[in-house]
Amino acid sequence: MALLRELGQGQGFLKAGFLGFPKSGKTYTAITLAIGLHKFMGNCGNLVFFDTEGGSEYVASMIRAQLGRPLLGVKARAFDDLIAVTREVKPNDVLFVDSITHLWRELCDSHLKNVNDALRKKGKALRSRLEFQDWNPIKSTWAQ
């Protein structure tokens, strides 16, 4: 049985993560890559910024200068808001999320709160942290 076949015939997407110390240039580097990707895709969509840290203020003028259009987006930290934004972006848009860490923490904190609410109703001891059995429902929600 032959498993090898030609790849690269479908739609390609870029998912990139940047790790570094505060003020090390993560946002600048990532937005420069996003601008390049937008230009590579033919400048036919918008660059959309999901901003959890206020970085959009820093790069908005750069977007306007490089792409000739305003930076669109939302300032939020709720996972539900990210889901709503991903449903609103169009196929040729480039979505930029900075920082995803805030959304992950919000999702984990929300799950722990729900677990503790259920434990409280049953008169059981509350938890101070997530446990192994919590990761499957959290990751299932994250997969959205």
Side-chain angles (χ1 to χ4, degrees):
M1 172 170 66
L3 293 176
L4 300 178
R5 59 189 166 91
E6 184 177 351
L7 300 176
Q9 302 301 308
Q11 173 67 45
F13 296 94
L14 171 68
K15 291 183 184 180
F18 295 85
L19 177 66
F21 295 107
K23 307 292 182 196
S24 63
K26 298 179 299 293
T27 299
Y28 179 82
T29 301
I31 207 71
T32 301
L33 179 62
I35 289 169
L37 178 63
H38 187 273
K39 289 178 178 180
F40 178 78
M41 292 171 54
N43 288 333
C44 52
N46 292 303
L47 203 153
V48 179
F49 198 126
F50 190 93
D51 187 357
T52 69
E53 298 184 327
S56 59
E57 303 300 327
Y58 173 67
V59 298
S61 61
M62 190 166 102
I63 301 300
R64 187 178 293 281
Q66 291 283 324
L67 301 179
R69 62 180 70 200
L71 176 62
L72 301 180
V74 62
K75 291 182 181 183
R77 284 193 173 190
F79 182 74
D80 289 342
D81 291 336
L82 176 62
I83 296 300
V85 167
T86 61
R87 290 183 178 138
E88 191 173 330
V89 293
K90 296 172 184 68
N92 290 323
D93 291 345
V94 174
L95 176 61
F96 183 85
V97 180
D98 186 21
S99 158
I100 199 78
T101 302
H102 299 290
L103 302 163
W104 175 252
R105 287 183 182 151
E106 187 263 339
L107 192 62
C108 291
D109 291 346
S110 175
H111 180 78
L112 183 59
K113 181 188 178 306
N114 291 338
V115 166
N116 280 332
D117 288 347
L119 290 171
R120 189 177 292 110
K121 287 179 184 176
K122 295 177 183 177
K124 295 188 176 186
L126 303 183
R127 293 203 222 145
S128 61
R129 63 177 195 234
L130 296 169
E131 296 180 358
F132 181 78
Q133 65 271 18
D134 296 314
W135 293 111
N136 188 45
I138 291 171
K139 287 184 176 185
S140 294
T141 302
W142 184 257
Q144 294 179 39

